[in-house]
């Protein structure tokens, strides 16, 4: 229940803060959880309640909520150079070192990095880069961006147009020229009698038909998450990227890997594109880049796009785009420390925990009201269904996933409702004991809610 004490934290939050992506009936009924401090993978609220955060904050706090290495990196850099920009031929030494490191980590033998403050801004920047390039190379009509239904790419006007979610219609989005093709979720969208291989072939054929219908010379890029994150943790159908990449190459369309969630180890490899064995033309990064300790995003350009954009910029003497905090020295110092932690053991811990994580998901998926478990690395989802045999979802007005998430909160566990799914993406610092706690509390919540609605 909401805290009705005068001047309580949740009353103050309600009075002065506009909530984003928040179920307002839940706030009205339960109040706001105001977080005071972190303890490893746990958060502690202002009432002293402790929660295991199986969401890693928002996919990003992979090193936990009070990591001393990241705190020291920030403190040391603040004492040395507390802020600077990356305009006018000036940038910090930390920015230079991070760019070198990101290109080294990338699947590219060379390239360039452009910094933003978020993944949304990175996707927005990428589109501006492609539009700039099209005009500079005498193809001003090449402006259309293809993404997938259910994919998530951000909240700016451009990145929200890329996002294949129906809620963006309240903003009058997507803008013209943003095209959404089929979601590669075989369990949900495969046709009766269709094998997974046939499903993949059908999606590839749909993509090519869309390209031909729109005109190949009007399309600037195809942008895809290796695993759809905010779409409900949807790995691609088998062979998906191997089926679509030749089509894109044939029509001269860049393939951009949106690694905002997948990047820096979440899928078990450094990049999701490595997990699914494809090399994109550019990578969009954020979230685990700084382990959530500083707002930062990056566009990592492969050699071809890097060369072409550099040539186009030289022709007009600059690339006319940037942000005040792009390449912030403190953010870059934290990012270098975060990457050091991932390379120094956290990435290996993801791989070591993955079998136990998958086994826990599979065990809970035996419940008659869980239709599917899915995931890759330390990102997974359980899809709630009213009828398992027919894959029939619960009625929307039952708010089943929201109720499960609320019940989890009552048990001291933070997880995320997405559509009819419950999403788990625990921090990389977790142990098997943390996973056991997570699945135990989630199981209790599932039993409670399904007993109420099934």
């Amino acid at each position: 229940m909401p805290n009705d004490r005068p001047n309580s934290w949740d009353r103050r939050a309600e009075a002065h803060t506009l909530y984003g992506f928040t179920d307002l009936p839940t706030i009205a009924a339960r109040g706001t959880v105001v977080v005071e401090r972190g303890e490893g993978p746990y958060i502690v609220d202002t009432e002293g309640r402790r929660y295991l955060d199986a969401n890693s904050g928002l996919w990003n706090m992979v090193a936990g909520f009070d990591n001393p290495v990241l705190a020291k990196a920030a403190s040391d850099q603040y004492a040395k150079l507390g802020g600077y920009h990356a305009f006018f031929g000036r940038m910090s030494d930390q920015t230079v070192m991070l760019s070198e490191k990101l290109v080294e980590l990338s699947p590219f033998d060379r390239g360039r990095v452009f910094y933003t403050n978020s993944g949304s801004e990175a996707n927005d920047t990428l589109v501006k880069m492609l539009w700039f390039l099209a005009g500079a190379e005498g193809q001003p009509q090449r402006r259309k961006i293809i993404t997938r239904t259910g994919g998530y790419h951000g909240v700016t006007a451009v990145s929200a147009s890329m996002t294949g979610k129906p809620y963006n219609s309240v903003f009058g989005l997507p803008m013209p020229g943003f095209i959404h093709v089929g979601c590669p979720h075989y369990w949900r969208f495969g046709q009766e009698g269709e094998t997974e291989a046939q499903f993949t072939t059908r999606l590839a054929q749909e993509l090519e038909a869309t390209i031909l219908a729109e005109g190949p010379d009007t399309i600037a890029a195809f942008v895809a998450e290796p695993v759809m994150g905010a779409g409900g943790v949807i790995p691609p159908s088998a062979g998906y990227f191997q089926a679509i990449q030749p089509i894109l190459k044939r029509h001269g369309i860049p393939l951009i890997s949106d690694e905002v969630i997948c990047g820096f180890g979440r899928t078990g490899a450094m990049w999701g594109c490595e997990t699914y064995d494809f090399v994109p033309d550019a990578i969009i990064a954020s979230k685990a880049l700084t382990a959530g300790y500083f707002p930062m995003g990056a566009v990592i350009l492969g050699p071809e796009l890097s060369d072409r954009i550099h040539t186009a910029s030289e022709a007009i003497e600059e690339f006319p785009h940037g942000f005040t905090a792009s390449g912030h020295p403190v953010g870059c110092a934290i990012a270098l420390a975060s990457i050091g932690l991932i390379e120094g053991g956290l990435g290996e811990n993801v791989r070591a925990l993955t079998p136990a994580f998958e086994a826990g998901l599979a065990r809970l998926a035996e419940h008659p009201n869980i239709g599917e478990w899915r995931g890759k690395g330390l990102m997974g989802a359980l899809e709630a269904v009213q009828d398992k045999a027919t894959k029939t979802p619960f009625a929307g007005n039952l708010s089943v996933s929201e109720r499960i998430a609320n019940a989890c909160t009552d048990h001291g566990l933070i997880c995320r409702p997405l559509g009819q799914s419950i999403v788990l993406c625990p921090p990389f610092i977790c142990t098997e004991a943390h996973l056991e706690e997570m699945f135990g509390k989630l199981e209790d919540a599932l039993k409670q809610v399904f007993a109420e609605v099934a």
Side-chain angles (χ1 to χ4, degrees), residues 24-176:
L24 296 181
T26 292
I27 297 299
R30 299 170 56 87
T32 303
V33 175
V34 180
V35 179
E36 184 177 67
R37 67 183 187 275
E39 298 174 355
Y42 296 89
I43 56 171
V44 182
D45 71 13
T46 51
E47 301 295 316
R49 294 171 299 210
R50 192 167 182 255
Y51 310 87
L52 176 61
D53 192 328
N55 255 39
S56 300
L58 200 58
W59 312 89
N60 56 341
M61 305 293 293
V62 297
F65 297 93
D66 61 346
N67 188 280
V69 173
L70 300 181
K72 186 176 187 303
S75 177
D76 288 351
Q77 184 58 40
Y78 272 122
K80 180 181 176 183
L81 177 65
Y84 209 64
H85 56 77
F87 283 44
F88 318 128
R90 296 188 291 277
M91 65 181 64
S92 79
D93 56 349
Q94 302 298 312
T95 312
V96 174
M97 290 189 289
L98 180 58
S99 295
E100 291 172 339
K101 186 63 177 178
L102 290 176
V103 173
E104 174 195 321
L105 288 176
S106 79
F108 312 130
D109 56 7
R110 59 184 179 85
R112 290 183 173 89
V113 183
F114 192 96
Y115 295 101
T116 67
N117 307 305
S118 67
S120 296
E121 290 176 355
N123 273 309
D124 196 296
T125 293
L126 168 79
V127 172
K128 285 185 70 176
M129 286 177 168
L130 294 168
W131 288 348
F132 168 65
L133 191 59
E137 294 180 343
Q139 299 186 76
Q141 80 288 348
R142 192 180 282 273
R143 295 178 64 85
K144 296 174 185 175
I145 305 293
I146 301 178
T147 56
R148 282 98 54 88
T149 300
Y152 182 88
H153 302 283
V155 296
T156 65
V158 164
S159 60
S161 293
M162 298 166 72
T163 294
K165 295 283 196 174
Y167 55 69
N168 280 316
S169 64
V170 302
F171 303 107
L173 299 173
M175 296 186 292

Side-chain angles (χ1 to χ4, degrees), residues 232-419:
V233 184
I234 300 172
S237 55
Y240 175 81
F241 285 102
Q242 288 66 42
I244 67 167
Q245 190 160 30
I247 295 168
L248 297 169
K249 284 186 179 296
R250 186 160 61 248
H251 294 293
I253 298 168
L255 169 59
I256 313 301
S257 189
D258 183 340
E259 302 263 1
V260 168
I261 289 172
C262 295
F264 303 102
R266 177 61 71 180
T267 65
M270 183 60 68
W271 304 106
C273 60
E274 291 181 69
T275 298
Y276 291 100
D277 194 27
F278 70 96
V279 177
D281 295 283
I283 285 173
I284 304 298
S286 187
K287 294 200 184 288
L289 170 59
T290 61
Y293 280 65
F294 198 90
M296 178 176 284
V299 182
I300 307 170
L301 298 170
E304 182 183 350
L305 282 179
S306 177
D307 290 349
R308 290 166 62 194
I309 290 174
H310 187 68
T311 298
S313 299
E314 283 186 322
I316 62 170
E317 301 184 351
E318 66 176 359
F319 175 54
H321 177 77
F323 303 94
T324 302
S326 293
H328 194 288
V330 177
C332 291
I334 293 170
L336 286 164
S338 174
I339 292 168
L341 290 173
I342 292 166
E343 289 190 305
L346 291 187
E348 178 55 39
N349 196 48
V350 172
R351 292 185 286 275
L353 288 177
T354 293
F357 183 67
E358 291 180 344
L361 289 168
R363 181 176 63 81
L364 293 186
E366 293 174 3
H367 193 284
N369 291 113
I370 297 295
E372 179 195 41
W373 78 266
R374 53 184 181 267
K376 180 63 73 170
L378 281 191
M379 56 190 303
L382 296 166
E383 180 107 0
V385 290
Q386 188 173 49
D387 186 284
K388 195 162 189 166
T390 62
K391 306 178 185 178
T392 303
F394 285 97
N397 62 0
L398 291 176
S399 301
V400 168
S401 63
E402 185 73 25
R403 291 167 74 162
I404 295 169
N406 291 338
C408 284
T409 302
D410 292 339
H411 291 295
L413 176 70
I414 302 293
C415 58
R416 183 176 179 183
L418 275 172

